[in-house]
Amino acid sequence: MSRLTFSAAVLALFLAGTARPAIDAQATSPAGPYRTLNDRFTVRQYTSLQEWQPRAAYLREHILASAGLLPMPIKTPLRAQVFDERKHDGYSVFKVYFESLPGFFVTGNLYRPAGSGRFPAILSPHGHWAYGRLENTPVASVPARAVNLARQGFVVFTYDMIGYNDSRQLVHREFGGKRESLWGLSVAGLQLWNSIRSVDFLQSLPEVDGDRIGATGASGGGTQTFLLAAVDERIKVAAPVNMISLHMQGGCLCENLPGLRIDTNNVELAATIAPRPLLMVSATGDWTKETMQLEYPEMQKFYALFDARDHVLAVQEQADHNYNRQSREHVYAWMARWLKEAPADVRVQEKSFQADVPPDVLVFYGRPLPADAVTPAQLTENWIAAAKQQMGDSERPLLRAGLLHALGIQAREPLVPQLGAERTVVLAANDPALQRELTRLRFEVKPVSFTPFDAAAASKINHFETYNRTAAAMRVADIVRTLTDVPGAILVADGDAALPGLLAGAIVPVSRSILDVGGFDTSDDSAFIDRLYIPGLRRAGDLQTAMTMNGGRVVIHNAGTRFTMPRAEVEPRKLTAKEIILRLRPAGTR
């Protein structure tokens, strides 16, 4: 089964019923209460494939969900344009653009070997070099690797990061906000989608052997390489350069998908590529300086589970952050070994070349974007409209999976309600009088202890949402922890806890929920931003999806005039404590 589709193993967990959540205690950093991209991470240890493979399936889906790609967007026609061939000694260069989404363009250059046949292909994302895919310096040269790989018999596609060179529709470090995040739309997600569609483009070319495709890039391009290879098994060989580290996860917006690294890290994410061949190229002068002593041994453990230690290799250069000639030559040999059946000890030296001047290879140099190119606002509205359409068309287990990923919860074994749990009230409401009355009526009351959220500290952390739960998501996690002790209990919640309570009731079975939602409007994105901000929540169907997972009776009161919820008993007015008690007591009692 393709890793771009919903994992059968994880699907089976959802079909079995409500699953036990895996919620670790909120991780902290030595510098404060929250994790950061520069913390030193440790890698979970796995002793068998049976232990690792369900986790790997979860992580692949988690990457997709964090990118807004669960469910996968509809693959609309690429409408690819390949033109302006420039012939050189042993290869040709073409200008390329195609649509990854309607009116949204991927731009780059295609390097094709001379001669005919079906060639292996290399996808070549660039990093944050000043000139992007046209960077050509001793420290890093994208044209050098493209030209040399083409001369070696590979078709190569170099394409722009969003906001670089010909990719003019969005600003690289500025696009997006909380509304876009709610709907799973981000620069990082769009770049991953562009990479997936770039594989589609390569496979559409008659000269490309679609079963022999590799990917390599450095820095931010290295992040793109391992995330793409993790979720798309059509990438048979991966060579991320100067990137996979346990003490720096990537500093740009385009590397920090919302929610991506909650309870995980780059080594574990890249390990999902196993057992496909992986080359880790590192440098002594950047955050990969410990690769040979730390990250590589950890990666070898994952490959050992598959009895495939020879499928992973690490090398290191005495250099600063780079994709220099020495690093490139390691990659040439790795690609030749695995995509051209070269011997394991093959060595490939780079040959000199003359790079094309930028005006000769820029796609839109001296010409406008296509007339149907969308603006940032149009892209956002089109994305949200498509997401809403998919909510109606997608299978419920897929949306349920997306909801769990948005909450940072991994499904475990089914959780069965405890006998007599309906006499326990999990209380997430600030109402001492109600608690006293519940105790008098001999209900066991379990108040929820909420984790304090330090908004000031959170605001100082770059890409906070990539590594930490938001305040609303933490409230969900806190309620879930309490409910997990008494599955099948009654939940009563109000204030900031009511809507998280509805989400928590979708994770752990409850017999009844009574929730004061404080006039919430389910149709308004701004209401979610103000009161229930969780990245990806709306992309996964938010409270509507939660209700399809909740098997108990749900009473919602103090609802807004535009609050709609299937199956729930919705009342516009606020219930009194006495009315709540009446709804808690079993039928026939006084």
Side-chain angles (χ1 to χ4, degrees), residues 59-260:
L59 290 172
R60 293 186 194 102
E61 287 182 352
H62 188 62
I63 294 170
L64 291 173
S66 299
L69 305 180
L70 190 70
M72 191 68 68
I74 301 299
K75 288 189 174 183
T76 51
L78 292 172
R79 297 170 58 193
Q81 302 295 311
V82 182
F83 59 101
D84 281 2
E85 179 181 10
R86 294 183 60 80
K87 291 187 176 181
H88 298 280
D89 181 19
Y91 70 98
S92 293
V93 185
F94 299 82
K95 300 175 183 178
V96 174
Y97 69 89
F98 57 82
E99 296 179 67
S100 62
L101 296 166
F104 188 67
F105 295 96
V106 177
T107 50
N109 294 116
L110 185 72
Y111 292 74
R112 181 184 293 167
S116 60
R118 286 173 59 78
F119 302 101
I122 305 293
L123 203 60
S124 182
H126 65 79
H128 293 92
W129 316 113
Y131 294 95
R133 78 175 199 270
L134 303 181
E135 181 80 9
N136 183 34
T137 66
V139 171
S141 175
V142 180
R145 73 175 183 257
V147 169
N148 275 271
L149 284 166
R151 285 174 169 171
Q152 294 160 25
F154 296 90
V155 173
V156 182
F157 181 51
T158 65
Y159 57 109
D160 291 321
M161 277 186 171
I162 289 169
Y164 277 73
N165 294 322
D166 292 298
S167 179
R168 309 174 187 169
Q169 293 172 267
L170 303 177
V171 177
H172 185 72
R173 298 179 188 268
E174 296 181 12
F175 175 74
K178 288 191 172 182
R179 181 172 182 242
E180 287 82 2
S181 186
L182 278 172
W183 288 99
L185 180 59
S186 65
V187 167
L190 286 171
Q191 286 195 170
L192 181 56
W193 180 242
N194 283 355
S195 295
I196 291 169
R197 297 311 316 266
S198 293
V199 182
D200 295 340
F201 166 67
L202 285 175
Q203 287 194 321
S204 74
L205 300 175
E207 67 269 27
V208 168
D209 182 346
D211 293 327
R212 291 188 293 159
I213 298 178
T216 183
S219 192
T223 301
Q224 291 182 70
T225 295
F226 74 74
L227 291 179
L228 172 65
V231 301
D232 194 334
E233 63 184 6
R234 294 176 298 175
I235 300 300
K236 302 302 182 184
V237 185
V241 177
N242 286 193
M243 197 58 243
I244 299 176
S245 166
L246 284 170
H247 64 271
M248 206 292 284
Q249 306 298 293
C252 181
L253 191 66
C254 78
E255 299 173 88
N256 284 280
L257 295 161
L260 175 64

Side-chain angles (χ1 to χ4, degrees), residues 431 434 437-438 441 443 490 492 512-516 553 555 557-558 569 571-586:
D431 191 337
L434 176 60
E437 184 63 12
L438 289 170
L441 293 171
F443 284 98
I490 298 169
V492 177
R512 277 170 286 175
S513 298
I514 301 178
L515 310 170
D516 177 352
R553 177 188 176 192
V555 177
H557 62 109
N558 198 14
E569 302 170 34
E571 296 192 18
R573 64 185 181 84
K574 180 180 178 66
L575 297 179
T576 65
K578 181 178 180 179
E579 289 172 319
I580 292 173
I581 294 293
L582 289 174
R583 283 166 170 78
L584 292 178
R585 299 177 72 171

Side-chain angles (χ1 to χ4, degrees), residues 511-558:
S511 59
R512 277 170 286 175
S513 298
I514 301 178
L515 310 170
D516 177 352
V517 297
F520 191 79
D521 179 355
T522 58
S523 67
D524 186 2
D525 286 337
S526 64
F528 282 88
I529 292 170
D530 292 340
R531 296 181 52 193
L532 195 62
Y533 176 63
I534 300 172
L537 183 64
R538 302 224 72 185
R539 179 73 172 102
D542 54 73
L543 303 172
Q544 311 287 328
T545 297
M547 275 303 301
T548 70
M549 301 167 67
N550 196 315
R553 177 188 176 192
V554 179
V555 177
I556 291 172
H557 62 109
N558 198 14

Side-chain angles (χ1 to χ4, degrees), residues 259-387:
L260 175 64
R261 298 186 183 94
I262 291 175
D263 193 32
T264 188
N265 54 73
N266 280 356
V267 168
E268 193 179 43
L269 293 171
T272 62
I273 299 169
R276 286 169 290 152
L278 172 67
L279 175 66
M280 302 167 66
V281 182
S282 60
T284 56
D286 71 4
W287 47 84
T288 59
K289 62 186 178 182
E290 298 175 343
T291 290
M292 306 308 292
Q293 298 78 33
L294 184 57
E295 290 87 1
Y296 180 43
E298 291 293 344
M299 193 67 72
Q300 286 180 305
K301 295 176 186 177
F302 289 100
Y303 277 78
L305 296 176
F306 295 89
D307 194 23
R309 281 184 176 269
D310 64 327
H311 284 52
V312 63
L313 177 67
V315 295
Q316 190 167 80
E317 291 298 324
Q318 298 289 324
D320 291 333
H321 194 59
N322 76 91
Y323 201 160
N324 61 22
R325 176 173 179 165
Q326 291 76 25
S327 295
R328 294 193 296 270
E329 288 180 347
H330 291 301
V331 173
Y332 300 154
W334 191 251
M335 294 299 177
R337 176 183 175 184
W338 295 106
L339 295 179
K340 300 185 72 177
E341 299 183 346
D345 60 353
V346 64
R347 296 291 181 266
V348 182
Q349 289 189 335
E350 184 168 288
K351 296 181 179 180
S352 61
F353 76 105
Q354 184 65 45
D356 292 291
V357 295
D360 289 340
V361 288
L362 285 168
V363 176
F364 296 125
Y365 181 77
R367 58 188 294 182
L369 293 173
D372 58 347
V374 295
T375 65
Q378 290 170 330
L379 176 66
T380 297
E381 296 308 320
N382 291 350
W383 178 276
I384 292 174

